[in-house]
Structure formats: structure tokens, C-alpha cells
Amino acid sequence: MAKRPVARVLPESRLPQLDRVFDYAIPDGMDAPVGCRVKVPIGRSAKLHTGFVVEKPEATDFAGELSPLDQVLSPVSVLTEEILATATALAKRQAGGVADVLRLAVPPRAVRVEKKWLEAPREDPEPPSSPAAPEALSAAEWERLSRRGEKTVWHLTHGVSGSTPQGYLDVAALATAHLAHQRSVVMVVPDWRDISLLEDALRHHVPEDHLVVFSSDLTPSEQYSRHLRCLEGRPLVVLGSRHAVYAPVSSLGAIVVVSDGDDAHREPLAPYPHTRDVALIRAEQTGCSVVLASWTPSIEAIRFVEMGYFTETGSTVSSRPRVFPTRLALHGREDPAPGRLPSAAFAAAKDALRTGPVLVQVFRAGFAPGLVCTDCGARARCSECGGPLAHSGAGAPASCAWCQHLHARFQCAECRGVTMRPSGQGVGRTVTELGKAFPGVQVVRADGEHRLATVPAKPALIVATRGAEPVAEGGYHAALLLDGAAMLQRSSLNVLHETLSGWEWALSLLAQNAVAYLTDIDGPVATACAAGTGMALLADELRERTSLRLPPAVRIAAIDGPAAVVEEIIREVSSHEGLDSLGRSRIEGTAVREIIRMPYRIAPQVAEMLRAAVVKDALSGRRGARLRVRMDDTRALDQLADGAL
């Protein structure tokens, strides 16, 4: 009897022990193309699992009789060879599973959407013509940016045109240039606001049939529909947040990662990859360009430039607004708290409000970041869980930031005091105070609860938390950058970059000849912001991190699990020269977290050993906390530093 053809299947399973391929016989008359979804029996119970056909080999190495495929769920090859290769390489780098990566890259199937897509006629619309180079770039720099195979750190231009940041208009022009040469472009941005702004810029240049947008509010069916559009073979411009980096487009010319230093580019699901790393792996697979575009390059981007791995480009003419640092102002002897608006900033805002909107950037969300005892100043804590108390709004009762328990009555654990006072100013309290300081002026709040992408060009105070600033039509006429000291006092490895990038984004939204006032801070960081030399400050930090052997000079891994299991793993990986531990902390119950660091040259071998340990732990049958590995997640260092563990 003739042998049946073989399908090699990778199950869609989160179980580490199933993260490998299995061979199945293809029944007579069944068509199972590579990349399609199938159902297959696994284990002695023959429980059915979905999976992808990843290969159809000539023969199998399995000595016994192969089980047959149960069902082909879809004839569409939703998993391309290139995305599979990227997922495989990424899983090895992150000590994770290929199936976990594919869960991020390939959305769930929607039957009706797929049927409609299969029946729809296919057209091949004309690509747009190549745009002119942005005024801020030389012809040579624009030609290099538009060429395939380059790796570039791009310093975006400040300023606003209409209701769109000029930097986004330039990025949209780059996408159009690649599209004009029949090449696809994948553009990945941090969040919904950036998607909205960049989509508006793209729609002025890119035809509808060539644009695919993965917005944050899509339903699963809509996500699958856009995934199918990427498989059609025509050149496309794909825009979205971090999952868009896996878009299975053909003829990939460039991947543009906007603000790669933003923490939103770090995937919170296993195996916790960063958009920048996915882009670089896809570039290795396809030969496409990688462009890291931002107003403030990340520490990692600066390292790439200093290594000679990336080149950098930017505006030939400075359009950056002037920044004036101000010293702290005192209300008087009775209230020695620093004034939030020094006289110079107050006068500038008042003058700018005669003609247009003014941006007020604050660091903290909520009304008041915390409450303290009026008598002794101790932090007010929840009587139920010990969490910090805060006011969610003006006149609102105190509530716990952790368990949300309301506290109508309070008694200080230190001095038995029964009254509290606000500590610090959140965006809500700032709105209230500015409303009193600027009577008759409209005060608009923009934060996570009040989402705004744009505001009109009329006098108003726009009070926004860092990262939630809307774009004013024509640009803001002035900006007040508050809470600089609070931003820099956080226990975070990336605090300097996050602070500078927050300021630079606000500065990019100003109109021509507008000025910004930096309050609550002085010293080297304020001076660098005023002089526009933040990149030199970040380069100094990179050198300091290199001397201290901290990321990105080295790679790290956070290993969570039972103490005995973690100890065994550390003994196994410690044989590698250059690997050491940054310490162990207790997390939940009896589980511990150990953070190790290693040079790049041994990281692939260590990642392989860590993945093997995860699979071994899953097969052990042990109850309790499972072993978990996170590679290169600096948030583990932040948690270790601030004692959150």
C-alpha cells in the first residue's frame, strides 16, 4: 500500500511540552496546504487540538503508524513561511515557545470574514507616485531612508502642520516612497493616539486599497479581516501598535518603529518580545530596512549607532522650540511648598492664551497622587491591605489604590491622627487649581480617562498627563512642563529617557516661535532640555550602564519559580563565563525571582537552557507556581529597585 503524504503540524497550545512539531498522515482527498489551520489528535486520549501545517516533508522519521489529520479548518495559508521563521528565531531569543509567538502574530479565525474574503474579487490598484523629500532632509539622506536594506535612527522634526505633527507627515512620506517602488511598509507606533495621527497623515498620500490599519478598538473579526488583506500579495502600508509588526505582507521594504523607547512596545504576554527586536529579526529574514524614528532616540538606538550597526539622520535645520528652565517659587512662610507656576511661566501662559491654546503637561494621573497624615506627614495607608490612599477626584472620599476600599474614617498608624491632606498634584487637582488661577479660560483635561487626539486652535488650557497630550491645530502657543523633579525621582532604569522623551513629544506639538517653560527642576537634565543636548546626556548614561554591566550593554533574564527549581537552574547556567546574578527576591508565597545578566555572546545558549528548564518543569507534574522566564525585561530591575516584590 502506498504511503500517505505527511503534514508536520505545530499545535496552537500554551503548554510548553507541546511546543514542537508532530507528524500526521494526510488522508486521501484532503488538501492541507502549508500554513493552513488544522485539527489534530494529540496524546493517548487523542484530544483534538488546532494547529498549523508548517511543512510537508517527503517522509517521516516516526517509526510507527502516523495518526491522520482530523480536519482542515481553513484552506487559507494564514501562516507564511517568513512569519514562521521570524517566530522561530524570536522564540529562541526570548527563551519562549513558537506557538506563543504565533498567538501574537496570527489572529483567531473568523469563518464569515474568511468566506467573504475568498469570494471577493481581486483588483490591483495603481500605487501612488513617489513623494518629494521632506524639506528638513537632504536628498542623499532621503534616498538612503527610502532604500531597502538600510538600518537608520531617524530624529524626527518638531512642529505641527494642520492637526498633524510634522514628524508623522515625514514618516507618512517615507511609507509612500517605498510603496511607489512596489514595496510594503509596516509602521508600528506605541498606542491609539499615534495610530490616529499617523493614519490621518497616511490617508493624504496612500490609496485606501493600499492601507491596512490595525487600530486598538478592532474586534477579533476585524483583526482577522485585516490579516487576510495582508496575504493578498499586493504592496501595502500597514499601521498599528506592537502586534502589527507581524503583518504577513509581501515584498517587505521597511519596518518603521516610532518611539521605540516607549514601554508600550514591550509585549506583556509570553515570550515578552520588544517590537524593535521583532523588526530586526524580520529584517534578517527578508532584507528589509529598519527605521527607528523618534524625537528622542532610545538608549538601545544610541548603542546601535555607536556600534556602527545603524546610521542616524535628521533635520538639517533646527525647528526645536526654545525651552526656559525656571527655578522653584515659594508661596510664603506659611506654605513653603514649591509653586507649580513660577511668575515667568504664569505670565507667558497668560499672554499666549490671548491667541491660542496652551499645553500644561503633568506627570501624575488622578486628583492627588497620595494622602498623608496632617499631623505627622506619614503616608496614609489602607486599613484592609496596607495600600496607599488617594483621592480619585475633587470631593471624592479617600480610597485605596490597590483594593479600592473606601475610607470615610481614617486613623494614622504612626500618631493616631484622624485627618489627611493631599500630597502632590495629579491631573485632576491641577485642572481645579488652574481653573481658579485663570478665570474665564476653558480648561480641558486629557488623560487615560479623557482621551483626546486633537483640539481646536482656540484659547484654552489643555492639561494632559505625560503621553496623553492631544495635538492642537496649528500647534500650541506655549507649553508648561510641570513635575520634572517627580518624573526623575522614580526608581526606574529608563527614567532619564522617559523624562526626556516626554518633554520632547510636548515640544514637538508647539507652533513656530512658541516657547516652553520647564518648572520644578534645575541642574544638568534641565540644562540639556533647554539646550537640546538630551542625546549627549543619554549617550553618557549608556557609557555608565556599560561600565556597570546593565542593559542594553548586557542581556538579562528574570527567572520566577519555586526556590529549589530556580536554584537548580542557576547552578546549570552558571557554568557560562560572564554570567552572574543580580540578586534574588521573594514574590508570591514560596516563589522567588532571580535576575541574571550575561554578555550577548552566550545569551543564545543560556536562553536555550532556560527554555529546556521550562519544558522540564511543565512535564514534572509538580503542583504550585510554574517556572517563568522573561528575557530583557528591565521592569524586573525596576521592581527590584523599588521593593515592589
Side-chain angles (χ1 to χ4, degrees):
M1 183 176 66
K3 291 185 177 180
R4 290 181 177 178
V6 177
R8 195 155 283 163
V9 176
L10 175 67
E12 284 188 285
S13 173
R14 300 190 66 178
L15 297 175
Q17 60 268 37
L18 295 184
D19 187 48
R20 65 184 188 87
V21 294
F22 297 84
D23 286 356
Y24 291 88
I26 302 177
D28 295 338
M30 180 181 286
D31 183 20
V34 172
C36 74
R37 271 193 171 106
V38 294
K39 272 192 174 182
V40 294
I42 294 180
R44 294 181 180 179
S45 64
K47 182 179 179 180
L48 294 179
H49 289 254
T50 62
F52 297 101
V53 176
V54 298
E55 189 182 354
K56 294 171 73 172
E58 296 281 333
T60 179
D61 297 331
F62 184 66
E65 183 178 353
L66 294 179
S67 299
L69 294 177
D70 180 79
Q71 181 184 357
V72 174
L73 293 175
S74 167
V76 181
S77 296
V78 291
L79 175 61
T80 64
E81 292 184 12
E82 188 250 312
I83 294 300
L84 176 61
T86 296
T88 303
L90 186 62
K92 289 181 179 178
R93 187 183 193 280
Q94 296 297 119
V98 179
D100 285 335
V101 179
L102 295 183
R103 179 165 53 95
L104 307 174
V106 184
R109 182 183 180 228
V111 178
R112 291 184 180 179
V113 168
E114 183 178 280
K115 183 178 180 181
K116 183 179 179 180
W117 178 77
L118 288 170
E119 294 173 351
R122 298 284 183 268
E123 297 180 0
D124 193 13
E126 288 292 323
S129 57
S130 186
E135 295 181 1
L137 291 177
S138 67
E141 289 173 324
W142 181 246
E143 194 276 332
R144 187 174 72 247
L145 269 176
S146 308
R147 193 166 55 224
R148 194 170 185 267
E150 299 289 333
K151 293 181 175 64
T152 310
V153 172
W154 187 6
H155 303 269
L156 296 177
T157 305
H158 291 74
V160 175
S161 179
S163 295
T164 306
Q166 183 60 48
Y168 281 158
L169 292 173
D170 295 345
V171 169
L174 175 64
T176 310
H178 279 279
L179 191 62
H181 289 89
Q182 298 289 319
R183 297 192 294 260
S184 294
V185 180
V186 174
M187 316 185 79
V188 193
V189 297
D191 56 30
W192 68 270
R193 173 205 60 193
D194 305 286
I195 293 175
S196 175
L197 296 173
L198 192 47
E199 181 181 359
D200 288 343
L202 286 169
R203 291 196 181 279
H204 286 89
H205 304 284
V206 178
E208 179 70 27
D209 289 336
H210 285 287
L211 181 61
V212 177
V213 180
F214 287 90
S215 57
S216 57
D217 57 351
L218 293 181
T219 65
S221 295
E222 291 170 331
Q223 291 176 351
Y224 189 63
S225 173
R226 282 156 175 74
H227 183 84
L228 293 176
R229 281 195 60 195
C230 294
L231 295 169
E232 292 178 358
R234 72 178 66 167
L236 296 170
V237 174
V238 176
L239 169 65
S241 52
R242 56 181 176 267
H243 287 191
V245 74
Y246 303 100
V249 293
S250 61
S251 304
L252 182 58
I255 300 177
V256 181
V257 183
V258 177
S259 300
D260 69 292
D262 194 300
D263 198 47
H265 283 296
R266 168 71 64 180
E267 176 60 55
L269 301 175
Y272 317 103
H274 194 285
T275 301
R276 178 180 53 244
D277 297 326
V278 183
L280 290 172
I281 289 174
R282 288 198 73 176
E284 292 177 3
Q285 304 289 342
T286 64
C288 71
S289 296
V290 175
V291 178
L292 304 179
S294 65
W295 287 270
T296 305
S298 65
I299 295 283
E300 291 80 4
I302 294 173
R303 175 176 172 269
F304 288 153
V305 171
E306 293 191 351
M307 290 170 56
Y309 186 43
F310 274 62
T311 58
E312 61 178 331
T313 189
S315 174
T316 55
V317 179
S318 176
S319 58
R320 190 174 183 273
R322 291 174 298 163
V323 180
F324 295 99
T326 60
R327 290 193 173 273
L328 299 179
L330 299 181
H331 289 307
R333 293 181 180 179
E334 294 182 359
D335 184 6
R340 301 203 76 203
L341 283 184
S343 57
F346 180 82
K350 200 170 183 179
D351 184 60
L353 283 168
R354 295 192 182 99
T355 55
V358 172
L359 174 64
V360 181
Q361 184 193 67
V362 298
F363 171 54
R364 301 179 178 97
F367 183 80
L371 295 170
V372 297
C373 174
T374 304
D375 296 333
C376 70
R379 186 69 184 265
R381 294 285 178 179
C382 175
S383 60
E384 298 292 324
C385 70
L389 299 184
H391 282 314
S392 59
S399 61
C400 177
W402 293 356
C403 69
Q404 309 305 315
H405 182 74
L406 295 178
H407 284 259
R409 295 181 179 180
F410 165 76
Q411 187 174 58
C412 177
E414 300 294 332
C415 70
R416 301 301 176 182
V418 294
T419 59
M420 297 176 286
R421 61 178 174 85
S423 171
Q425 294 90 0
V427 62
R429 187 176 177 187
T430 304
V431 167
T432 301
E433 292 178 348
L434 291 180
K436 297 176 181 178
F438 293 88
V441 177
Q442 183 185 14
V443 182
V444 179
R445 177 174 174 174
D447 56 14
E449 297 179 359
H450 306 79
R451 304 202 324 180
L452 291 173
T454 59
V455 292
K458 63 180 184 180
L461 280 169
I462 313 300
V463 185
T465 52
R466 183 173 55 93
E469 303 90 343
V471 179
E473 185 178 353
Y476 290 101
H477 290 212
L480 309 179
L481 310 179
L482 310 183
D483 305 328
M487 292 168 69
L488 285 170
Q489 287 169 359
R490 293 170 296 134
S491 299
S492 173
L493 183 66
N494 294 319
V495 64
L496 177 60
H497 177 268
E498 291 171 358
T499 301
L500 291 174
S501 63
W503 289 339
E504 290 300 324
W505 165 250
L507 295 178
S508 73
L509 304 180
L510 295 185
Q512 188 175 8
N513 299 323
V515 296
Y517 287 83
L518 186 61
T519 70
D520 276 350
I521 189 173
D522 53 11
V525 180
T527 302
C529 180
T533 57
M535 187 168 177
L537 210 59
L538 291 171
D540 289 340
E541 175 161 322
L542 174 60
R543 285 187 283 274
E544 184 177 355
R545 290 197 199 180
T546 301
S547 65
L548 295 173
R549 295 188 66 228
L550 290 174
V554 296
R555 295 191 65 188
I556 62 170
I559 307 168
D560 296 359
V565 176
V566 173
E567 287 175 4
E568 181 182 355
I569 293 173
I570 298 302
R571 283 195 299 269
E572 292 177 358
V573 300
S574 293
S575 59
H576 290 88
E577 183 181 355
L579 183 146
D580 63 350
S581 173
L582 289 172
R584 180 179 301 178
S585 302
R586 188 169 299 279
I587 42 179
E588 298 179 5
T590 59
V592 299
R593 172 176 299 166
E594 184 115 3
I595 301 176
I596 59 174
R597 61 182 172 185
M598 69 210 84
Y600 281 81
R601 58 181 172 79
I602 67 170
Q605 292 81 15
V606 174
E608 185 178 359
M609 295 177 70
L610 293 176
R611 181 58 183 173
V614 171
V615 175
K616 178 182 177 182
D617 183 68
L619 291 169
S620 68
R622 178 183 56 79
R623 295 181 179 273
R626 308 308 308 182
L627 185 65
R628 185 175 71 156
V629 174
R630 287 183 293 159
M631 299 290 292
D632 304 314
D633 190 351
T634 57
R635 288 172 296 190
L637 293 176
D638 297 343
Q639 292 167 349
L640 184 65
D642 65 17
L645 298 178

